[in-house]
Amino acid sequence: MAYTRGNLAVKPKPVERVSPGYREQTKVVTRRTFIPMKEKMLYLLTVLVCVAVASLVIWRYAHIYDLNKQSQRMNSDIRKNKLEISKLELKKQTLKETIVETAIKEGYVLPPEHSIIHVPRVAGSTDVAETSKK
């Protein structure tokens, strides 16, 4: 054959294809494999252990959260009680200062400086006093 690539007058010969008598076909067959019972149990046990550990951790965090809330509540109560105690101490101090004036207004009199006040003894206390002297 002569120069055919650049010459349009020459018709190229078709390439003969050899076709086989049969066509090779591939078929993908997917078989479903079953997981053995022991492996299923192992997976189930693993999931159960993970769930148990996660629930334990969550329970502990919830307990810690509850303790923190109780601590904050107690600190708040302590602050309120301290404030109330300081108010009551201030009131006590003012009452101590005004008790003499109030008693005089009510009609009580102050005893002289060096006077002795006699208080009668109770019957039960005399026995104890006499036994302690012996």
Side-chain angles (χ1 to χ4, degrees):
M1 256 196 2
Y3 179 71
T4 58
R5 293 197 178 223
N7 191 351
L8 296 177
V10 179
K11 183 177 179 185
K13 293 182 182 177
V15 178
E16 294 181 20
R17 292 186 182 176
V18 178
S19 62
Y22 64 94
R23 184 173 171 194
E24 197 173 318
Q25 288 183 341
T26 58
K27 185 176 183 182
V28 178
V29 177
T30 56
R31 287 191 320 163
R32 214 173 178 157
T33 58
F34 293 102
I35 300 174
M37 185 59 83
K38 288 182 181 178
E39 196 171 348
K40 286 180 185 177
M41 290 299 171
L42 179 66
Y43 290 154
L44 181 64
L45 181 67
T46 303
V47 168
L48 289 177
V49 167
C50 290
V51 167
V53 168
S55 62
L56 180 69
V57 168
I58 290 171
W59 179 76
R60 292 298 296 168
Y61 272 106
H63 185 66
I64 290 170
Y65 175 78
D66 185 44
L67 289 176
N68 283 337
K69 284 300 256 186
Q70 287 179 5
S71 172
Q72 289 174 358
R73 196 175 308 122
M74 291 295 273
N75 287 338
S76 166
D77 290 345
I78 288 172
R79 269 188 260 116
K80 288 177 185 176
N81 288 340
K82 282 184 180 179
L83 183 63
E84 186 177 345
I85 287 172
S86 66
K87 287 179 182 177
L88 290 175
E89 284 179 350
L90 181 63
K91 186 175 181 180
K92 175 185 166 186
Q93 188 67 30
T94 57
L95 286 175
K96 276 186 177 180
E97 292 172 358
T98 60
I99 194 162
V100 176
E101 296 169 5
T102 308
I104 292 173
K105 286 179 186 175
E106 293 290 324
Y108 294 99
V109 290
L110 288 173
E113 292 266 337
H114 300 289
S115 68
I116 299 174
I117 300 174
H118 293 282
V119 178
R121 293 186 180 191
V122 180
S125 65
T126 57
D127 296 335
V128 175
E130 289 178 7
T131 57
S132 65
K133 289 182 182 178
K134 291 181 184 179

